[in-house]
Amino acid sequence: MARAFLVPASLRYLDQVARSGSIQKAAKELNVAASAIDRQILLLERELEVELFERVPRGMRLTAAGDALVTLARRWRADERRVAADIKQLQGLDQGHVRLVAMDSHANGLLPRFIERLAVEQPRISLEVEIASPDDALSALLAGGADIAAIFNLMPRRDVHVHWRSELPFGCVVSPAHPLAKGETASLQEAVAYPIALQSKALMIRRYLDARYGWLFADPQKALVTNSLQLVKQLARGGRYVAFTSELDAAPELAAGTLRFLPVRDKGAEPQTVSVAIDARKPLSRLGRIVADLLTDEIRASLQDARTAAGRRDAG
């Protein structure tokens, strides 16, 4: 069954123009004549009596009405994929496509192992992975752009169902050679005696720090701010910087012994969380459940590896 027959061509064209930014680029992506795409969009605008795009010199820009229709189109396409997968399952085949959105820290940690395991255990399931910030990951999930999301510090919402969730102690990571590494825990006052590598405000942990411990950043010359978690960890590994992050963010380095995690012992320091979440407004397909369960297993295994390695070093 071809998925293209389930969602009207006009909506598929609309979605691709929104993604590509122009009719010509969309035509190349879809291998369809640009005139056909333009005609379908004009028909939609005529039927709805509203402009869906602003025609600007550099291409096409969605209007508010166009944005609403694209959101609907993407939800329909997500439902289309789920129905196609369900039909395959009725035929006795675990075959279909699942879209996952995850965090940057997962990319060099648990994701490669998870993808390899899925390929071996479920070769008929194709996987699409997008890396995004927590805010963008949630938006993708609710807009139908993803079936499953792995998100840090997800706040409770009626329209989101948490498939699995775990608390992560709030703490910092340092090089084993850093002076703080001699202790089992660290206080915030101890940490700020050293240069700090900070993640940008796009991430929840930075917002948490800003809201609760704004005094940490009183001396901007002692903090390096970046939107790259990988750079934050590299700086901490260098031995000069302290970085506030979670065990999962630094799991590969903790397991390898190149970083050490120190829980923050200050009173009121709240744990961070990691969640595997789905859209509560629609059922998770059997294939989606398989992927969500495997992802959960890999997150647990990654945390266990990091904690076991730390336990061995402490015992030694």
Side-chain angles (χ1 to χ4, degrees):
M1 178 183 62
R3 292 185 310 176
F5 296 136
L6 299 179
V7 171
S10 56
L11 292 183
R12 289 186 288 110
Y13 295 170
L14 175 79
D15 184 16
Q16 190 59 55
V17 172
R19 293 178 189 275
S20 302
S22 77
I23 289 176
Q24 293 296 332
K25 289 179 182 178
K28 290 180 180 178
E29 290 290 334
L30 296 172
N31 196 26
V32 174
S35 58
I37 295 177
D38 189 42
R39 184 167 57 253
Q40 289 288 345
I41 290 175
L42 289 172
L43 284 172
L44 272 176
E45 291 181 323
R46 192 175 306 151
E47 290 173 6
L48 296 172
E49 298 182 346
V50 67
E51 285 193 352
L52 299 174
F53 289 98
E54 293 178 36
R55 276 70 173 176
V56 296
R58 293 188 178 182
M60 307 277 278
R61 186 166 57 206
L62 281 171
T63 63
D67 186 62
L69 194 57
V70 165
T71 298
L72 175 64
R74 290 174 182 172
R75 286 178 183 166
W76 282 6
R77 297 192 76 180
D79 290 342
E80 170 193 77
R81 281 185 282 264
R82 192 184 75 251
V83 169
D86 289 344
I87 291 172
K88 291 291 185 183
Q89 291 165 37
L90 291 173
Q91 296 171 331
L93 300 172
D94 280 337
Q95 179 176 339
H97 186 72
V98 176
R99 295 159 305 149
L100 167 67
V101 60
M103 309 290 97
D104 177 51
S105 62
H106 301 146
N108 80 327
L110 64 97
L111 275 181
R113 191 166 63 179
F114 159 71
I115 292 169
E116 181 66 25
R117 182 179 170 190
L118 182 68
V120 171
E121 296 184 15
Q122 301 290 339
R124 290 179 175 271
I125 298 179
S126 62
L127 184 67
E128 178 183 339
V129 181
E130 180 180 350
I131 301 300
S133 69
D135 291 342
D136 289 343
L138 179 61
S139 296
L141 184 68
L142 296 178
D147 304 302
I148 303 165
I151 307 179
F152 285 114
N153 299 322
L154 177 66
M155 300 300 291
R157 295 177 57 109
R158 280 187 172 183
D159 48 3
V160 174
H161 172 71
V162 176
H163 180 77
W164 174 82
R165 178 180 181 272
S166 180
E167 289 192 346
L168 304 168
F170 173 55
C172 60
V173 293
V174 294
S175 162
H178 194 281
L180 287 180
K182 297 175 183 178
E184 298 298 320
T185 61
S187 71
L188 291 170
Q189 287 284 6
E190 290 171 342
V192 298
Y194 303 93
I196 299 172
L198 281 173
Q199 298 180 46
S200 71
K201 295 182 180 182
L203 299 180
M204 292 292 186
I205 193 166
R206 173 63 189 278
R207 296 180 204 171
Y208 170 79
L209 288 169
D210 280 344
R212 298 289 297 274
Y213 307 108
W215 55 268
L216 283 169
F217 320 119
D219 184 357
Q221 293 185 344
K222 293 188 65 176
L224 183 284
V225 180
T226 175
N227 65 351
S228 169
L229 174 65
Q230 307 313 320
L231 178 57
V232 165
K233 292 192 293 184
Q234 288 289 342
L235 290 170
R237 286 175 62 183
R240 174 178 170 80
Y241 286 86
V242 176
F244 291 101
T245 189
S246 73
E247 292 170 290
L248 191 58
D249 277 343
E253 292 81 8
L254 296 175
T258 56
L259 285 176
R260 182 163 183 203
F261 179 77
L262 302 172
V264 167
R265 63 175 179 268
D266 293 58
K267 185 177 180 180
E270 297 178 1
Q272 308 298 289
T273 63
V274 58
S275 302
V276 175
I278 62 173
D279 189 335
R281 299 166 299 182
K282 55 190 178 185
L284 183 64
S285 70
R286 181 166 177 269
L287 296 188
R289 188 167 298 279
I290 289 171
V291 172
D293 287 343
L294 281 179
L295 178 62
T296 297
D297 284 348
E298 286 304 322
I299 295 175
R300 284 173 171 157
S302 187
L303 284 169
Q304 187 60 45
D305 288 348
R307 291 167 179 172
T308 298
R312 284 198 301 266
R313 286 190 294 275
D314 291 342

